[in-house]
């Protein structure tokens, strides 16, 4: 059986199961408590959804679902027993908990770090077979001269929690190791599909073993998987379905804007205008959203995480965007607000941020 490595100390999972190891740090102790419950065969777990697309809620997840998720990921990457894992995600959330589950199910050694902006700044010259990060962590690792070279020391790295920007995908694709963007949700206990990071603007997501995809009439993705709570899960994700095992993600149905009878998916527009925003507001978050409009029904708006800018700069930004998107998708209004509201797992909470404009 593998072990958990905390502050350089290697603790066998067998010792965690008996409760013979305790930590004075509350974060590490709650991770140990979860591992102990898992190792003693607990059958159900309460998990919090992130709240990025709705109100956070508590759901009950069965052990068998989490086992299926760990098994599917292990098969996808052909992870062998005794592998070395890096866990740098919040273990109070599903993504971090699943890193612990993978370690226990794969008989792996798991280095456990607190979730910080640049996790590789906390390690020495260690190499890892597998790890998971959120896009912000990956960006900070790449931007730091001392850690950017360490990224290649992770054989398989999955990125989840939020979509990667086109610029980040391009930068990550320059590394020789295998980096994947994930697709999943708390209801499917982590990811059900993975897309290899490369130069393509619309990455293709491939199903984990045992997962199948379908689609509703309005193009929403339907998931059938052993890690889901139900055999058929209808999502609010609009996709281009390639086969029952592959799709291209378009955006969230609940974020869609109906402007003059034309349906616009904000995430598509956000990718298209990225070059302009990176040039004008480098490093700033932004997103497209809709507001009620007497003529159009909804008008397209752009919200940027920044202080108020001049009218001329906003007009110039609008003209640059016009060259990149269809006439229906050009923002009719610009808003500036900082900081954006985020969820407990670090995702931008669009609804809560928009509500602050009122």
């Amino acid at each position: 059986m593998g072990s958990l490595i905390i502050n350089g100390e290697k603790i066998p999972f067998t010792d965690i199961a008996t409760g013979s190891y305790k930590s004075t740090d509350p974060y590490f102790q709650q991770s140990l408590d979860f591992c102990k419950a898992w190792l003693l065969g607990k059958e159900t777990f309460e998990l919090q959804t992130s709240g990025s697309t709705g109100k956070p809620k508590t759901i009950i997840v069965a052990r068998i679902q989490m086992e299926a998720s760990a098994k599917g990921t292990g098969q996808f990457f052909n992870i062998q027993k005794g592998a070395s894992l890096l866990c740098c995600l919040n273990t109070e959330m599903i993504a971090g908990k699943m890193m612990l589950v993978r370690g226990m199910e794969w008989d792996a050694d798991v280095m456990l770090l607190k979730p910080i902006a640049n996790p590789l700044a906390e390690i020495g010259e260690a190499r890892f077979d597998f790890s998971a990060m959120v896009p912000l962590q990956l960006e900070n690792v790449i931007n730091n001269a001392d850690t950017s070279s360490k990224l290649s020391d992770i054989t398989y790295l999955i990125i989840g929690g939020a979509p990667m920007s086109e610029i980040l995908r391009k930068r990550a694709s320059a590394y020789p190791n295998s980096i994947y963007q994930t697709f999943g949700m708390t209801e499917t206990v982590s990811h059900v599909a993975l897309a290899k990071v490369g130069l393509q603007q619309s990455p293709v997501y491939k199903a984990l073993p045992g997962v199948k995809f379908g689609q509703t009439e309005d193009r929403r993705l339907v998931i059938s998987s052993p890690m889901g709570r139900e055999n058929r899960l209808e999502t609010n994700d609009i996709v281009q379905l390639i086969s029952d095992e592959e799709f291209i993600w378009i955006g969230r149905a609940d974020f869609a804007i109906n402007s003059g009878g034309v349906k616009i998916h904000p995430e598509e527009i956000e990718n298209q205008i990225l070059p302009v925003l990176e040039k004008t507001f480098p490093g700033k978050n932004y997103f497209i959203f809709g507001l009620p409009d007497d003529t159009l029904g909804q008008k397209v708006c752009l919200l940027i995480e920044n202080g108020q800018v001049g009218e001329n700069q906003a007009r110039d930004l609008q003209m640059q965007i016009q060259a990149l998107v269809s006439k229906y998708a050009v923002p009719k209004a610009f808003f500036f607000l900082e900081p954006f509201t985020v969820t407990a797992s670090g995702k931008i909470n669009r609804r809560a941020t928009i509500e602050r404009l009122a």
Side-chain angles (χ1 to χ4, degrees):
M1 185 173 282
S3 63
L4 210 56
I5 302 170
I6 300 177
N7 293 327
E9 185 174 358
K10 194 170 186 178
I11 310 126
F13 284 123
T14 49
D15 289 352
I16 296 174
T18 60
S20 59
Y21 183 88
K22 300 289 184 182
S23 174
T24 57
D25 187 295
Y27 178 77
F28 291 134
Q29 187 56 49
Q30 66 86 18
S31 302
L32 290 165
D33 290 341
F34 172 78
C35 290
K36 180 180 179 181
W38 181 271
L39 293 164
L40 294 180
K42 187 175 180 180
E43 292 294 333
T44 59
F45 297 86
E46 286 189 359
L47 300 176
Q48 280 285 118
T49 62
S50 66
S52 59
T53 58
K55 290 184 178 181
K57 58 184 178 181
T58 300
I59 64 171
I60 304 298
V61 173
R63 179 190 187 91
I64 192 172
Q65 295 174 248
M66 301 170 82
E67 289 174 335
S69 178
K71 180 180 178 181
T73 301
Q75 290 178 343
F76 189 97
F77 292 114
N78 191 29
I79 302 293
Q80 302 298 309
K81 285 188 176 183
S84 177
L85 277 56
L86 172 65
C87 178
C88 53
L89 298 176
N90 188 349
T91 56
E92 294 181 1
M93 309 298 290
I94 180 58
K97 279 184 167 57
M98 281 308 304
M99 282 300 300
L100 298 177
V101 170
R102 292 178 192 122
M104 292 181 284
E105 290 296 294
W106 297 347
D107 290 341
D109 290 327
V110 185
M111 180 180 288
L112 178 61
L113 303 180
K114 289 184 177 180
I116 61 173
N118 187 342
L120 299 193
E122 295 285 300
I123 64 172
E125 300 302 317
R127 301 184 65 88
F128 301 96
D129 297 300
F130 183 87
S131 186
M133 296 182 190
V134 296
L136 181 59
Q137 288 176 316
L138 176 62
E139 188 170 0
N140 285 324
V141 167
I142 292 175
N143 287 341
N144 186 303
D146 293 329
T147 59
S148 60
S149 61
K150 294 181 181 180
L151 193 62
S152 300
D153 293 332
I154 303 172
T155 304
Y156 296 110
L157 175 64
I158 60 174
I159 307 298
M164 294 172 65
S165 69
E166 184 180 355
I167 286 179
L168 184 57
R169 283 202 304 268
K170 287 180 178 179
R171 296 181 70 190
S173 68
Y175 285 81
N177 51 333
S178 296
I179 303 176
Y180 287 76
Q181 170 86 49
T182 70
F183 176 88
M185 56 207 73
T186 305
E187 291 82 353
T188 59
V189 291
S190 189
H191 54 270
V192 290
L194 294 155
K196 182 76 179 290
V197 171
L199 296 177
Q200 73 276 27
Q201 190 168 355
S202 300
V204 176
Y205 286 89
K206 298 181 184 296
L208 292 188
V211 176
K212 298 294 181 183
F213 300 125
Q215 198 170 32
T216 62
E217 290 184 0
D218 57 355
R219 301 172 67 204
R220 287 186 297 124
L221 181 69
V222 177
I223 303 171
S224 299
S225 73
M227 54 283 287
R229 286 188 299 161
E230 44 197 276
N231 290 332
R232 186 179 187 275
L233 175 64
E234 287 191 11
T235 74
N236 277 326
D237 293 277
I238 304 298
V239 302
Q240 175 188 335
L241 194 67
I242 298 174
S243 71
D244 64 357
E245 294 183 347
E246 294 181 318
F247 66 85
I248 295 173
W249 187 76
I250 304 298
R252 293 280 301 179
D254 40 355
F255 292 158
I257 302 167
N258 190 329
S259 186
V262 177
K263 189 165 286 189
I264 296 163
H265 294 288
E267 295 92 342
E268 277 189 304
I269 308 307
E270 289 158 11
N271 261 336
Q272 291 170 8
I273 67 176
L274 177 65
V276 171
L277 269 296
E278 279 293 322
K279 180 181 178 182
T280 311
F281 298 98
K284 298 293 185 179
N285 290 312
Y286 66 93
F287 62 82
I288 295 287
F289 69 103
L291 283 180
D293 184 83
D294 292 338
T295 303
L296 298 170
Q298 284 182 299
K299 64 181 178 182
V300 177
C301 303
L302 174 60
L303 178 57
I304 302 171
E305 191 174 27
N306 196 59
Q308 184 67 47
V309 301
E311 186 177 330
N312 289 339
Q313 187 178 9
R315 189 181 301 114
D316 181 61
L317 180 61
Q318 186 179 44
M319 291 180 64
Q320 292 183 65
I321 290 174
Q322 283 177 343
L324 298 176
V325 302
S326 74
K327 62 181 181 179
Y328 305 104
V330 177
K332 304 295 189 294
F334 294 81
F335 296 89
F336 302 88
L337 180 71
E338 60 178 353
F340 282 1
T341 303
V342 298
T343 67
S345 59
K347 300 179 188 178
I348 294 173
N349 189 323
R350 296 190 182 217
R351 286 192 176 89
T353 303
I354 294 168
E355 288 172 1
R356 289 167 51 201
L357 297 175

